Amino acid sequence: MRFKFPLVAISLEVAMIVLFGLFVQYETDQTIFQKQNTTGPMDTGRFLELYPLFQDVHVMIFVGFGFLMTFLKKYGFSSVGVNLLIAALGLQWGTIMQGILHSHGQKIHIGIKNIINADFSTATVLISFGAVLGKTSPVQMLIMTMLEIAAFAGNEYVVGEIFKASDIGASMTIHAFGAYFGLAVTVILYRSGLRKGHQNEESVYHSDLFAMIGTLFLWLFWPSFNSAIAEAGDKQYSAIVNTYLSLAACVLVAYAFSSLVEHGGKLDMVHIQNATLAGGVAVGTCADMKIQPYGSMIIGSVAGMVSVLGYKYLTPFFATKLRIQDTCGVHNLHGLPGVVGGLAGIVAVDLGVSNMTTVARQAAALGSSIGTAVVGGLITGLILKIPIWGQPLDENCYDDSVYWEVPRVREHDSGFHERDDHSQLELDV
Amino acid sequence: MRFKFPLVAISLEVAMIVLFGLFVQYETDQTIFQKQNTTGPMDTGRFLELYPLFQDVHVMIFVGFGFLMTFLKKYGFSSVGVNLLIAALGLQWGTIMQGILHSHGQKIHIGIKNIINADFSTATVLISFGAVLGKTSPVQMLIMTMLEIAAFAGNEYVVGEIFKASDIGASMTIHAFGAYFGLAVTVILYRSGLRKGHQNEESVYHSDLFAMIGTLFLWLFWPSFNSAIAEAGDKQYSAIVNTYLSLAACVLVAYAFSSLVEHGGKLDMVHIQNATLAGGVAVGTCADMKIQPYGSMIIGSVAGMVSVLGYKYLTPFFATKLRIQDTCGVHNLHGLPGVVGGLAGIVAVDLGVSNMTTVARQAAALGSSIGTAVVGGLITGLILKIPIWGQPLDENCYDDSVYWEVPRVREHDSGFHERDDHSQLELDV
Amino acid sequence: MRFKFPLVAISLEVAMIVLFGLFVQYETDQTIFQKQNTTGPMDTGRFLELYPLFQDVHVMIFVGFGFLMTFLKKYGFSSVGVNLLIAALGLQWGTIMQGILHSHGQKIHIGIKNIINADFSTATVLISFGAVLGKTSPVQMLIMTMLEIAAFAGNEYVVGEIFKASDIGASMTIHAFGAYFGLAVTVILYRSGLRKGHQNEESVYHSDLFAMIGTLFLWLFWPSFNSAIAEAGDKQYSAIVNTYLSLAACVLVAYAFSSLVEHGGKLDMVHIQNATLAGGVAVGTCADMKIQPYGSMIIGSVAGMVSVLGYKYLTPFFATKLRIQDTCGVHNLHGLPGVVGGLAGIVAVDLGVSNMTTVARQAAALGSSIGTAVVGGLITGLILKIPIWGQPLDENCYDDSVYWEVPRVREHDSGFHERDDHSQLELDV
């Protein structure tokens, strides 16, 4: 670890700078302003109009995903810190990978859609990061970022350019893809030593509150996520309204099912932190279609229910029977709702167009996303299994102190003010 | 509680889906784009232009209100979690209630103003939630959401359509209304067992910092709250600038008075978390009028002073003499400053127009808002008092563990890394 | 302290109201809308278009700076609370000072650029606040706000209007200025009693997570900071893209160097919280120039490296040898990267224009910023040294309880739920 991490990180950044020097240019004045006058609705001239939506997505990636994973009591530094590291590398690499596939041999001209898409590509890796959280090293995560974004960009190209399928909010290409990629990696990295759980794999009261910061910023800005690259005008409007309503419906159903499946009818923070977001995932594919407001709410409700049931019944089953150790339960937040989204997209297209070809294209897109994710994840897992990347020992899992300088003082020292010093029971004996 | 909460939550969501299916439609292309070309300044075609302001309001509702109430040491899950639940139900129900009153028998077409107004209607309930925080069950809060938003929409219709009063930032219709509604509910739900306070009704160091997250996001985005539905152009601009300045002035005065009234001149976190926001409340009614920059600052200063004095002197008086147990002191943050706002609106209209009818309309709006709130709150309180809604016992008040699975590990386990394990004093004896 | 702080705060607010009454007006309809039709690119009519960028900057000032400084275990209330106080005063005073210098004797008309610039002027003081954090009283900070913003506005006028230098993201006029001003103040306020450090001058696990909230919101919205007042169109676009890329590159290099210089290759939270932002500072001066995407990434990489090395080697050297006690290490986050930014600006202008005059103007701007900051800081330090401002004793430094009512309960009481009450060891004996 002493020099491996710095060496890998600096080499990757140097590589990025070289690649950007070779392939990436500004949009020229002509590129920006001439396109504004073209008839195409997807013009790239809407920079400042789309910039607020980009910033919403940006908050989701860095604050949303980052804090959502801080629920573990001793793994907050890594959650929010490695999240930042992955995303910072990923957005550079995503710009290159997506740009090369779409630029057809020309230079890549960075516009607002490129930086939104670059942020999107990092989301895929951050979802997979949730599956392997606490059991991997920063070096492994840098490698996974490079491999997964390459696979993601390839699948996205196939789904969008070859199958010409709809997936505006990326239920399939980001959420299902990221989840199944992460599950495949974690299958390969299976640790029998963690079969019976780990004492660090739990939350404390305040870490659950930190995680709610992530949940809320994800929940709030999800309409921007699903609409940011939608066609201007009517479709973008629909994507915002549908996502807004799907998420609201999802909350009520997720709370209801959390209470229903828990001992004594209590609410479970894991469900609240995660399943309330499933509505945003599931409405993604058809967010810009005319599925009607109540249609969005049905999709959100189903997603909320499926997600809670997944956390309650599937995750333990996966861990004990299938050797799938999914730390954050990304299968329940992104995998299942992503598949629900893909299926909802098939139904929506079917109802709207009555055209078997379109339906088949949607189904192919779902299949391609899951297939590419699983194959890519298995290969990535095998590479990450090579014992040279500074993996933590079983006993050091879910513990920041392996990779971080951690304050040694006791927690309750903070803000701890006794009136009489002599009444203070000294704990550090 | 075992099945009551899930049953109520799912029934309400099913009802919402049915109501949306019956009454709510997208804005059609014609609706959106034709209106852009009309001369009316309140056209609904400004979707993407107003979307950033909507998102600011959205952050205030979910992060702002949610975290502001996390100051209690053992009630953070409920504060931020039930806040989310109320708001998710409220925005659906608010869309229906406001839509029906304003659509005159036609279908409700959801545009950007509708979703901003839906968020606004939830704010009313979240303010009332602050008054009863810690003493009520989630089921009670779902019921309160339904009843209060119905009363809110009715009063708002009367104020806007019948009295035709100005209240752009909703000092009267949201803030005063929500506060007096909540106070009326808490009067009915009076608990003599909490007369001498409760050991859980206090903050710890970190919970006060979590609450500051809420304070700051409310403070920051308040200019958006007061301007989001203002008339495009000059009035929207005035609403932003006036609120920005009122809040800044309010901060200095609130800090000054906090230090002035506290023992030894120290600052009190309760005042800082709450009274700094009073300037946003009080400038609401006349935010879009030409009250001049220094006028806004005077309003903000008065509000900051009134709010701190309320926390210091009124809240204890209310609790001991008037049987009003106002957990978050919403009377000082929303009630008094809301009344100040209503009065400032009367003065501003009077100075601007010199028209007694207009002044009378503003006064009637203030009276209607407080009157409807008190009556509505009393009725709601009586319904919530029926002992079948899973209310907590006195000794379980302000404690998440009644309704939530709460981590059992000790706080200081997190991030607690001793060098020598043998020097660790085991506390769980 | 009993009456000094309230008296100073109220007097300042009264002064602000009087000054606003005398000098500040709304933009009139004519001002706003006529300018839209002029050919000048810097028209003030873009209110709602720039408002989202203003709000991003607003979040940076209040949440970003505020929470970034909460890393100290017992000084979170002051960090986030005095940050709010300084910024609320500063934005009023900044409006006056900048307005008077730029209005040439006319009234100040508040537009969107004015409130963005008002927020900017507070940033300067908040940076200096970081240098003296924990060792000063709220009254001292109010005084520093008044003096520093006066000096800042003067220097900004010289740089922009006399030297006509480029500094769109204010690497020189805000970051270097704020850092060197703060360092000069802290030199004068040197406390030999803190020579060997202080037991409160350290973080705990959760306080480091709170600080990451600040880091992330600063990091995210930095593209808005560097582009908010840029010329509409191409230059604004460039400022956004360049800053986005510079920050991404900076993260990888900062992580790499943090691991490289730390014992055992571990990451250090101080570096992650701060050095990851240096890329935003350093690219500021030339953010709106055509430095090419890879050029931004090189600037960000250099800044990340310089900043980590500064934290590791310069800060201890400053503290022990130079009597500069820089609590937050603002020299490494704002000082050095600000100078890097100034130098990068000279190089960029040189490469672009090949005009010695322009190069000399940039160099003069850098010199003026540092020179004015140092002189202004020394004078301010001398005024703050007068022993009547309620300064804390050495033993009370970095401790909220001097100026705040602090909860007396122990931290781990929160969310602490034992199954058996009799097994609970009572700590408050």
Side-chain angles (χ1 to χ4, degrees), chain B residues 5 49 63 68 74 89 94 99 102 116 146 155 167 177 196 200 229 239 249 319 328 341 344 347 416 421 424:
Chain B
F5 172 75
E49 191 187 8
V63 174
L68 183 59
K74 291 186 181 180
L89 172 61
H102 290 277
I116 292 170
M146 298 299 291
N155 176 63
D167 193 27
F177 184 94
K196 295 177 179 173
N200 291 342
I229 56 167
C328 296
V347 174
F416 170 50
D421 278 341
Q424 195 173 343

Side-chain angles (χ1 to χ4, degrees), chain B residues 30-45:
Chain B
Q30 290 90 317
T31 325
I32 300 177
F33 294 108
Q34 284 187 348
K35 287 196 183 167
Q36 266 182 329
N37 302 322
T38 62
T39 50
M42 294 288 280
D43 65 77
T44 52

Side-chain angles (χ1 to χ4, degrees), chain A residues 24 170 190 220 294 355:
Chain A
V24 182
Y190 178 72
L220 284 166
Y294 77 92
N355 179 332

Side-chain angles (χ1 to χ4, degrees), chain B residues 90-321:
Chain B
L91 66 88
Q92 298 176 65
W93 181 228
T95 304
I96 296 289
M97 286 305 296
Q98 295 184 311
I100 284 177
L101 283 169
H102 290 277
S103 69
H104 309 293
Q106 294 187 300
K107 292 268 183 173
I108 302 162
H109 294 272
I110 303 191
I112 184 74
K113 298 258 166 131
N114 300 67
I115 65 175
I116 292 170
N117 275 315
D119 265 32
F120 279 174
S121 66
T122 71
T124 319
V125 191
L126 298 176
I127 291 165
S128 306
F129 178 45
V132 299
L133 191 76
K135 302 169 295 188
T136 46
S137 70
V139 174
Q140 286 180 300
M141 289 303 94
L142 290 177
I143 297 168
M144 190 171 86
T145 303
M146 298 299 291
L147 298 174
E148 181 164 0
I149 285 181
F152 159 76
N155 176 63
E156 194 205 35
Y157 183 80
V158 168
V159 166
E161 302 291 321
I162 297 180
F163 296 147
K164 296 196 183 298
S166 294
D167 193 27
I168 196 66
S171 305
M172 299 184 286
T173 53
I174 291 179
H175 295 288
F177 184 94
Y180 289 104
F181 193 101
L183 294 182
V185 171
T186 204
V187 162
I188 301 289
L189 300 185
Y190 179 72
R191 289 170 180 262
S192 58
L194 304 183
R195 205 177 49 243
K196 295 177 179 173
H198 190 293
Q199 58 167 354
N200 291 342
E201 201 185 356
E202 57 184 19
S203 64
V204 288
Y205 194 70
H206 280 147
S207 68
D208 271 327
L209 279 176
F210 277 115
M212 280 304 289
I213 298 175
T215 299
L216 289 176
F217 278 106
L218 286 169
W219 195 92
L220 285 166
F221 290 140
W222 214 294
S224 303
F225 190 95
N226 282 354
S227 68
I229 56 167
E231 202 175 305
D234 202 34
K235 279 184 177 288
Q236 193 158 37
Y237 152 78
S238 298
I240 289 170
V241 169
N242 286 334
T243 309
Y244 176 74
L245 291 174
S246 173
L247 283 163
C250 180
V251 166
L252 264 92
V253 176
Y255 273 71
F257 273 83
S258 179
S259 167
L260 206 57
V261 301
E262 280 303 309
H263 172 71
K266 292 187 181 182
L267 298 165
D268 187 325
M269 253 298 170
V270 173
H271 305 158
I272 303 313
Q273 284 159 3
N274 293 281
T276 50
L277 300 167
V281 175
V283 83
T285 296
C286 54
D288 61 346
M289 302 179 195
K290 295 285 178 204
I291 52 176
Q292 296 308 316
Y294 77 92
S296 321
M297 292 158 74
I298 291 172
I299 292 174
S301 300
V302 171
M305 181 188 69
V306 165
S307 187
V308 169
L309 296 177
Y311 274 101
K312 184 67 182 179
Y313 302 110
L314 269 190
T315 296
F317 175 77
F318 274 27
T320 53
K321 305 292 178 189

Side-chain angles (χ1 to χ4, degrees), chain A residues 2 13 26-27 29 47 51 55 58 74-76 81 92 110 119 400-401 403 405 409 411 416-417, chain C residues 73 202 204-206 219-221 224 234 237 242 244 249 255 260 266-267 292 297 399 406 408 410:
Chain A
R2 189 68 189 89
E13 188 52 47
Y26 296 119
E27 289 198 302
D29 270 23
F47 203 97
Y51 183 68
Q55 275 296 2
H58 218 36
K74 290 186 181 178
Y75 210 64
Q92 298 176 66
I110 304 192
D119 265 32
D400 279 334
S401 63
Y403 303 110
E405 292 286 329
V409 293
E411 191 62 15
F416 171 50
H417 302 270
Chain C
K73 65 180 180 183
E202 56 184 19
V204 287
Y205 194 69
H206 280 149
W219 196 90
L220 284 166
F221 290 139
S224 303
D234 201 35
Y237 151 80
N242 287 333
Y244 176 75
Y255 272 71
L260 205 57
K266 292 188 180 181
L267 297 165
Q292 298 306 318
M297 292 158 73
D399 190 336
V406 173
R408 255 167 285 109
R410 288 159 181 282

Side-chain angles (χ1 to χ4, degrees), chain A residues 132 136 140-141 143-144 147-148 180-190 323 373-389 391:
Chain A
V132 299
T136 46
Q140 286 179 300
M141 289 304 93
I143 297 168
M144 190 172 86
L147 298 174
E148 181 164 0
Y180 289 102
F181 193 101
L183 294 182
V185 171
T186 203
V187 162
I188 301 289
L189 301 185
Y190 178 72
R323 301 164 58 103
V374 169
V375 173
L378 292 175
I379 295 169
T380 302
L382 289 170
I383 293 168
L384 298 187
K385 211 177 169 69
I386 304 168
I388 57 171
W389 310 123
Q391 292 91 328

